[in-house]
Amino acid sequence: MKQYIGVDIGGTKIAIVKGDELGNVTQKIRFENNGCVKDCLDRILAAVKEMGKADAIGISCGGPLDAQKGLILSPPNLPGWDEIAIVEMLENATDTPTFLQNDADACALAEWKFGAGQGTKNMIFLTFGTGLGAGLILGGALYSGTCGMAGEVGHMALEKDGPVGYGKAGSFEGFCSGGGLRQLGVAKARQMLDAGLTPSFCPDESALSAVTAQRVAECANEGHEDALAVYRQCGEMLGRGLAVLVDILNPERIVIGSIYARAGHLLDEAMYKTLAEQALPQSLKACTIVPAALGESIGDVAALSVAVNGLQRRN
């Protein structure tokens, strides 16, 4: 069985794994991203060499990037990673075919091959974590677009104004992400405090900076109406964004990760209600919406999936 190496580059952690084409991880090296680009690149290269021989290397990294040229192009969560020719670096050092994909595309490949999207030909994966991005599997293959920017659904405007995400007020990411939920929570808390009420997740104005999506979810799970209202608002906007994707791409499955995988029960009622109101009935009937299945292992499997997919397409 072929062996693959995966490199998962994040803003705080970097992981290098070795595994097979079934997504089974046999070796792993993980270290902190200390903010020094040269040091991180040197440690990635050393770890890859320590893994030994492989048939291909896959790299998963937040965008923007140029997958065709193998360049990392100044991702906001990776300061200083400006036009890093990481594919060329690894290929020259290891003489191994190397492939690069943004993290949403990589996670889409992982869930499609090994997780909740198995057996589908048309699947959308939504990150729904710190931000919101999509990986698109269309016609049984990853679709990245003309310049690798397909799937940037977080930039879609859902309202003229609202929480800011992807640099745009009222965007899909602004309403449906960890940062978006925090902003919705802060707005709800301010509204209640101004009315002389005490929010369940924010005792006073000095605590506004401590509001998080997780804290609001904890209070929602305890049954507090103010916290439930925040998640209902997010669920409604999630349904609105999904309706656009369902109508345009007619997928058979939408797989949603991170926050949805943990808190889908707080979002589903409003999400499905909005979907029923706004999506084409025939397209909606053909589509199932499910949480991601790979959990905490998705980053490792995603990076391996980039290697597997890249080698298969090259051959």
Side-chain angles (χ1 to χ4, degrees), residues 21 31 39 51 61 63 73 76 80 82 95 98 125 177 182 191 193 211 214 225 229 237 239 262 292 301 306 313:
E21 59 196 51
F31 58 87
D39 182 56
M51 294 287 178
C61 180
L73 304 172
D82 305 324
D95 195 30
T98 302
F125 173 81
S177 64
R182 182 193 64 78
Q191 180 187 50
L193 290 167
V211 172
Q214 181 178 350
E225 176 54 33
M237 290 303 178
R262 297 189 296 269
V301 180
V306 173
R313 295 187 67 180

Side-chain angles (χ1 to χ4, degrees), residues 40-88:
C40 287
L41 291 173
D42 287 345
R43 294 183 72 178
I44 288 171
L45 183 55
V48 167
K49 288 182 175 179
E50 186 177 330
M51 294 287 178
K53 184 174 175 54
D55 293 278
I57 300 169
I59 306 162
S60 170
C61 180
L65 47 80
D66 187 328
Q68 292 183 343
K69 294 182 179 179
L71 299 174
I72 299 173
L73 304 172
S74 307
N77 67 333
L78 293 171
W81 292 65
D82 305 324
E83 296 197 25
I84 302 297
I86 192 165
V87 167
E88 181 181 16

Side-chain angles (χ1 to χ4, degrees), residues 95-148:
D95 195 30
T96 304
T98 302
F99 307 94
L100 172 68
Q101 292 287 350
N102 73 53
D103 50 3
D105 284 351
C107 289
L109 285 170
E111 286 288 343
W112 178 47
K113 290 179 178 295
F114 310 115
Q118 290 182 81
T120 64
K121 287 188 176 180
N122 299 298
M123 185 203 89
I124 299 171
F125 173 81
L126 291 181
T127 55
F128 203 162
T130 303
L132 182 77
L136 308 176
I137 305 296
L138 302 177
L142 176 68
Y143 177 76
S144 298
T146 303
C147 64

Side-chain angles (χ1 to χ4, degrees), residues 9 28 30 88-89 122 217 224 234 263 305:
I9 302 174
K28 182 171 181 176
R30 187 181 184 190
E88 181 181 16
M89 179 192 85
N122 299 298
H224 294 284
C234 178
S305 297

Side-chain angles (χ1 to χ4, degrees), residues 16 79 99 159 176 194 234 239 241 249 282 296:
I16 296 87
F99 307 94
E159 290 281 7
C176 300
D194 289 345
C234 178
L249 296 176
Q282 189 173 355
E296 296 302 316

